[in-house]
Amino acid sequence: MQTEIYPFRNPGQIIFGAGALMKLPHEIKALNGKKVLVVTDPGIASVGLLDRVVKLLKQNDLLVDTYAEVKPEPPVSSLDSCAAKVRENRYDVIVGLGGGSAIDVAKGLSVLSANPGVISDYFGIEQVPCKGLPIIALPTTSGTGAEVTANAVFVEETSKVKMTVQSRHIIPDVAIVDPELTLSCPPALTAATGLDALAHAIESYTAQKATPITEMYALEAIKYISRYLRKATYDGKNLEARTGMSLGSLLAGVSLANAGINAVHAMAHSLGGRFGVSHGVANGLLLSYVMEYNMMADLEKFATIARAMGENVAGLTLREAAIKAVDSVRSLCIDVNIPLKISSLIPGFGRREVQELIPGVMSNVRCMSNNPRVLTAQEVEAIYMNAI
Ligand SMILES: [Fe+2]
């Protein structure tokens, strides 16, 4: 039990439910918005969702501009051209429409609307001096939790290292979570983002910084994601499954925003930054291997995770019950087609490649110091080796 003073923070407003998109004009006006920039990626634009949002805003007498060039795992320099646009125009609100990348770019542009320089000037914890334009986040995937977090992740082009802006000034002012927006998310992306959300829930539940408040959110998230991820992946038009995943991802995001993440994400960031493995796949692939190591630090919590995932642990020892949590995550990965071996994604991946990843992991002190078990470089290497 956490006995020290701890904060708990959330977005100003969360609006949840099928059809919640229709509340967007009202929320913009509630923020005194008249002129809006909608930030999204080409995929969202190509399926017509951007046009739908623009039409909705225009029908409600709002001026709308768009930026639909967001790249996956956004590079630092990708913000430059749009930051100039944001500084030239007098927008009142920035809407991030899409997955984590689009929402993170919206957060980055909000930072640059009120602060000079480039986004890398603000990497680190609470390095943003002034709050920028209000942010409304509209996720179209269930996974990143970006709609409720104080983080935005960008890739440094030269080092290929993922860097984070963590600031109270980039927690979205409003999160509009509409499960209908996820109905067309394809199976592979549903699975990958869903495993990312499960990693958020499990990591934040077991984190050093976990509190009774975050544990409550994390456990509920684990229940929803375990119950609905298979169905959302293979029966994507099922609104109940999509709603369950949206809720699970949202709750995991709230827990993550306050308790943080740890070794799974540190290792996934290093793997993704160096070899281009997507965030969700890297986290899903590595999650069970890190759990295997971490469970010894807190068998009770891992046994509770097994129960939350629907495993029958009656009559088992605490250790056996904790192992069930690891098995349950592996079964879920297999069922939704998330690979469990890095070499199946990167042919020839072996010890030499693992060693390239270690410095990036160990330098991620923010995540590694939050891990329930202290991990040495040798142990991180051993975990990667288990996963090759
Ligand atoms: Fe994540």
Side-chain angles (χ1 to χ4, degrees), residues 19 21 61 63 66 76 86 91 94 127 130 153-154 157 161 166 194 208 224 253 286 327 338 340 364 383 388:
L21 170 63
D61 304 319
L63 296 170
T66 62
V76 166
V86 167
Y91 301 117
I94 298 182
Q127 299 298 310
C130 300
V153 179
F154 304 96
E157 282 98 327
V161 172
Q166 185 180 352
Q208 297 277 358
Y224 279 110
L286 291 165
D327 294 341
I338 293 291
L340 287 170
N364 190 341
I383 296 171
I388 66 169

Side-chain angles (χ1 to χ4, degrees), residues 300-318:
E300 285 88 352
K301 274 199 165 175
F302 282 86
T304 304
I305 291 169
R307 275 192 292 274
M309 294 191 75
E311 297 293 330
N312 181 1
V313 299
L316 299 183
T317 65
L318 203 51

Side-chain angles (χ1 to χ4, degrees), residues 143-145 153 193 195-197 199-200 203 256 261 265 268-269 279-280 283:
T144 69
V153 179
T193 52
L195 259 302
D196 184 29
H200 297 158
E203 288 203 277
L256 146 76
I261 42 183
H265 268 72
H269 274 182
H279 182 83
N283 276 293

Side-chain angles (χ1 to χ4, degrees), residues 22 24-26 29 54-63:
M22 300 309 287
L24 178 60
H26 174 81
K29 289 176 182 175
V54 168
K55 189 175 168 195
L56 173 69
L57 299 185
K58 286 184 173 170
Q59 280 171 343
N60 283 273
D61 304 319
L62 291 160
L63 296 170

